[in-house]
Amino acid sequence: MHFRHGSRDEPEINLIPFIDVLLVVLIFLMLSTTYSKFTEMQLRLPVADVEAQRDYPKEVIVAVSADGRYSINKNVLPDRSVEAVAAALAAAAGGARDNVVIISADASAAHQSVITVMEAARRAGLVQITFATQSAAQAGR
């Protein structure tokens, strides 16, 4: 028996037929895929009564000026203490607890002035507080 000793050729994997087959499969899948639209749902949206919405909830608007003065529903308060602001908020709310306090503070107002309004609202029993802002387009005018 005669065995050959010498260099052995390493088997090579030819990738070109593999790539050809993958391209054919890809083209087949692209052509055979159906693109379907999503089914649309028919919706009837509820209609809001704008006039009824304006009456509820009642808003108490508190304006805070840059120098720390308070105005509740356009009535300027002479005193700046928490107790005075709380009494004015309770009077403006009329004893109702579901009123919304809207704090409209000047951009340069002290942070403590806004905290004073929030503490006064808590003491008056008003727990719904929101802040009024203006858009950047309005601020540039």
Side-chain angles (χ1 to χ4, degrees), residues 14 41 49 99 118 130 133:
N14 193 356
M41 294 175 37
D49 187 10
N99 292 352
M118 293 172 67
T130 187
T133 61

Side-chain angles (χ1 to χ4, degrees):
M1 221 172 23
H2 186 2
F3 292 107
R4 264 201 287 185
H5 295 290
S7 66
R8 243 177 161 199
D9 290 336
E10 291 289 325
E12 291 183 19
I13 298 175
N14 193 356
L15 292 178
I16 294 175
F18 179 70
I19 293 172
D20 289 341
V21 170
L22 284 179
L23 285 175
V24 169
V25 169
L26 181 66
I27 292 171
F28 173 76
L29 288 175
M30 288 174 53
L31 293 177
S32 65
T33 303
T34 59
Y35 298 101
S36 64
K37 290 184 179 180
F38 292 104
T39 57
E40 296 179 8
M41 294 175 37
Q42 296 296 326
L43 297 176
R44 272 190 13 227
L45 297 175
V47 178
D49 187 10
V50 177
E51 295 301 321
Q53 187 177 7
R54 288 184 185 162
D55 295 337
Y56 185 82
K58 186 177 177 190
E59 299 172 344
V60 178
I61 300 172
V62 180
V64 181
S65 67
D67 59 352
R69 289 180 291 144
Y70 302 108
S71 170
I72 298 178
N73 289 341
K74 298 184 180 179
N75 297 323
V76 179
L77 298 179
D79 193 6
R80 297 181 185 181
S81 67
V82 176
E83 292 81 15
V85 176
L89 280 173
R97 300 285 185 220
D98 61 345
N99 292 352
V100 176
V101 177
I102 300 175
I103 300 174
S104 178
D106 191 274
S108 59
H111 183 71
Q112 183 59 45
S113 300
V114 177
I115 297 299
T116 300
V117 174
M118 293 172 67
E119 175 63 19
R122 184 190 65 80
R123 288 186 185 183
L126 302 170
V127 295
Q128 296 182 20
I129 298 175
T130 187
F131 295 93
T133 61
Q134 67 181 8
S135 66
Q138 291 175 340
R141 288 184 198 177

